[in-house]
Amino acid sequence: MSIDHYAFASDNTSGICPEAWATIEEANTAGVGSYGADPYTEEACQLLCTLFEREVDVYFVFNGTAANSLSLSALYKSYHAIIAHEKSHIHTDECGGPEHFTGGSKILPCSGKHAKLTTAEIDRVVTNRRDLHFPKPKAISITQCTEFGTTYSVDELRTLTECARSHRLHVHLDGARFSNAVASLGVSPAETTWKAGVDVMSFGLTKLGVGVGEAVVFFDRDLAEEFDYRCKQAGQLASKMRFLTAGWCGLLRNDAWIEIARRANAHAQILREQLSDVPGVDLLFPTQANAVFARFPQQVNAAMASKGWHYYELAGIGDSRLMCSWATRKEDIFAFVNDLRQC
Ligand SMILES: *Cc1c(COP(=O)(O)O)cnc(C)c1O
């Protein structure tokens, strides 16, 4: 069996998982409506209402940057600011998308261990300046699970959202890897979102197993007013929408989404265990989802690259990020760790 040298580079290097592929194939017919007026999109919206145990307003867009930028733009005006962790995707990896789509609002970055926001930092940023000359904080954005593969417990989330409410801030959740967080926490999707005070979320299944298409889910449905116009204007209304939403049906019709997330998380645990036995390897953060972060001795990254392995080194730090996905196999883990020992 050939080894997948991209196995740990990103959960995006995996293909479309079989459960999503089957429904995309099923959707590949004529005789359905366009621009979301099709049975798959309707079913995907229904499945999300069921998943979250309430009525929600759902909009499907092409990717996570669009989901974050547009959902955030629904929360504030150009002179507002959003509080987020300094490692957050919206701050470091979206090319100013959230700022662009609000016409100039600012992200106020906070520090915090393991890429997690803290109430102390929210308090600090909100009270630091309250005058007319500084943008007015209007929302916080929480990533679940975080960019460092850690999770917020439901209690931690509640504490953050209560702090946000006390400052009259909306709560946005970046859930690009939400399924992995839910699988890891062992709580219901409702408990870790609206029941914990989240107003709107970007829900991603691309990294979990669909090919393209992320959902903006509004729990505070007043915030969704005219959101369809925002999507269309931003070029995010898919004409053949069913090909974005059929995969969601495949993953949400049964428990496929959570089983896949559990499996990816379990593989990350195996990878972590295997790495912990390799001399010279330091493991960096708790592995609470499908990511393992490690520091390898100098020269190792180059030696692994020459053996054909691809994975991310964190900008400027030299630490390595290893992701597991639905497609990760034990053979890939053992081959990787074996090569690492040799390096
Ligand atoms: C991958 C990811 C996104 C979405 O990125 P796109 O490349 O725009 O789809 C958003 N937030 C986080 C935390 C991510 O890891």
Side-chain angles (χ1 to χ4, degrees):
M1 182 172 298
S2 75
I3 294 305
D4 177 6
H5 285 97
Y6 280 87
F8 308 108
S10 167
D11 23 14
N12 278 328
T13 57
S14 62
I16 298 174
C17 68
E19 295 86 345
W21 187 258
T23 41
I24 294 168
E25 197 164 357
E26 185 188 309
N28 193 21
T29 56
V32 295
S34 56
Y35 294 101
D38 67 83
Y40 293 94
T41 303
E42 194 188 325
E43 185 186 346
C45 292
Q46 273 311 316
L47 287 164
L48 283 167
C49 292
T50 307
L51 188 79
F52 287 109
E53 305 168 42
R54 56 166 287 175
E55 289 295 313
V56 288
D57 281 353
V58 181
Y59 300 83
F60 290 94
V61 296
F62 288 102
N63 65 17
T65 298
N68 282 338
S69 300
L70 292 173
S71 58
L72 287 167
S73 76
L75 301 185
Y76 49 56
K77 300 199 167 72
S78 58
Y79 47 82
H80 286 142
I82 177 162
I83 298 169
H85 195 276
E86 61 193 354
K87 298 293 181 193
S88 65
H89 200 272
I90 61 166
H91 184 50
T92 63
D93 281 309
E94 299 190 354
C95 195
E99 293 92 330
H100 172 73
F101 281 100
T102 51
S105 58
K106 202 172 164 72
I107 293 178
L108 303 174
C110 294
S111 58
K113 210 176 155 195
H114 299 156
K116 286 162 77 170
L117 272 180
T118 63
T119 55
E121 278 287 279
I122 296 171
D123 288 338
R124 180 185 65 76
V125 170
V126 173
T127 52
N128 184 32
R129 288 278 297 272
R130 291 181 190 267
D131 57 273
L132 182 61
H133 302 265
F134 195 73
K136 184 180 179 187
K138 189 72 176 174
I140 65 168
S141 178
I142 303 170
T143 312
Q144 175 81 308
C145 62
T146 71
E147 286 75 4
F148 286 175
T150 54
T151 53
Y152 294 91
S153 70
V154 173
D155 282 345
E156 285 176 313
L157 277 180
R158 281 231 180 83
T159 308
L160 288 179
T161 63
E162 275 160 22
C163 173
R165 293 272 175 269
S166 74
H167 296 300
R168 305 169 65 86
L169 306 172
H170 290 303
V171 179
H172 168 263
L173 192 87
D174 178 350
R177 297 190 180 91
F178 181 69
S179 310
N180 301 92
V182 171
S184 164
L185 292 166
V187 296
S188 71
E191 279 173 290
T192 180
T193 55
W194 62 274
K195 286 187 180 174
V198 174
D199 297 318
V200 58
M201 79 179 289
S202 307
F203 187 173
L205 285 192
T206 304
K207 284 166 177 154
L208 192 77
V210 304
V212 60
E214 311 276 279
V216 175
V217 181
F218 285 95
F219 304 110
D220 180 342
R221 299 175 70 193
D222 292 339
L223 294 170
E225 199 192 327
E226 298 185 345
F227 194 72
D228 44 353
Y229 288 88
R230 281 183 200 276
C231 292
K232 175 64 193 178
Q233 188 185 49
Q236 292 292 326
L237 177 65
S239 49
K240 294 192 179 181
M241 181 72 89
R242 65 189 185 282
F243 296 111
L244 268 62
T245 51
W248 282 71
C249 296
L251 288 174
L252 297 181
R253 268 179 197 167
N254 43 47
D255 290 335
W257 67 280
I258 192 86
E259 278 163 17
I260 289 170
R262 282 193 194 119
R263 197 169 71 216
N265 291 358
H267 277 117
Q269 288 300 338
I270 296 171
L271 176 61
R272 185 184 177 97
E273 267 166 45
Q274 295 285 317
L275 288 174
S276 68
D277 277 350
V278 181
V281 171
D282 288 329
L283 294 163
L284 296 177
F285 312 116
T287 297
Q288 295 174 324
N290 59 329
V292 181
F293 286 79
R295 187 171 301 147
F296 301 143
Q298 267 197 339
Q299 317 300 336
V300 164
N301 287 334
M304 286 296 275
S306 71
K307 284 182 182 287
W309 289 102
H310 296 262
Y311 53 85
Y312 278 109
E313 292 170 52
L314 298 188
I317 318 180
D319 297 339
S320 300
R321 186 196 77 166
L322 306 166
M323 300 302 307
C324 293
S325 74
W326 70 268
T328 307
R329 302 164 307 175
K330 292 203 176 65
E331 302 89 277
D332 299 319
I333 296 177
F334 297 141
F336 182 88
V337 174
N338 209 22
D339 280 351
L340 192 70
R341 279 183 196 280
Q342 289 175 20
C343 291

